Amino acid sequence: IWLLVADYNDRARHIYVSLGFREEGQQREALYKEKKYHNCIMMSILKGEYLELLALEHEDASTSSLIGE
């Protein structure tokens, strides 16, 4: 899965990184907003990376239930 996010959108970028997305590159000055050009950042996550994250979350949930959290 890939996406484009504006370079000034720090909240969205933080969320995407927390979900496992990685920065692939930039489209320089691809957006024009409020009389200023901004870069678009391309981010992606590969199927294997996503499945690995799911496995880790499942593992963490199993461990938590075993120790009574």
Side-chain angles (χ1 to χ4, degrees):
I1 298 172
W2 64 271
L3 58 89
L4 294 174
V5 61
D7 62 358
Y8 56 81
N9 195 342
D10 294 328
R11 277 191 199 165
R13 289 170 56 196
H14 177 76
I15 290 169
Y16 297 140
V17 168
S18 73
L19 293 172
F21 283 78
R22 296 183 187 181
E23 187 174 320
E24 294 276 340
Q26 295 189 24
Q27 294 178 333
R28 300 182 312 156
E29 297 185 352
L31 295 173
Y32 187 76
K33 182 179 179 182
E34 298 177 5
K35 299 182 181 181
K36 185 176 176 187
Y37 285 98
H38 300 275
N39 297 341
C40 279
I41 299 172
M42 181 180 186
M43 301 181 80
S44 69
I45 186 168
L46 301 175
K47 182 178 180 180
E49 294 167 341
Y50 175 73
L51 293 174
E52 187 176 309
L53 286 174
L54 282 180
L56 289 174
E57 287 180 11
H58 179 71
E59 192 174 287
D60 288 345
S62 297
T63 303
S64 294
S65 64
L66 291 174
I67 58 175
E69 289 184 4

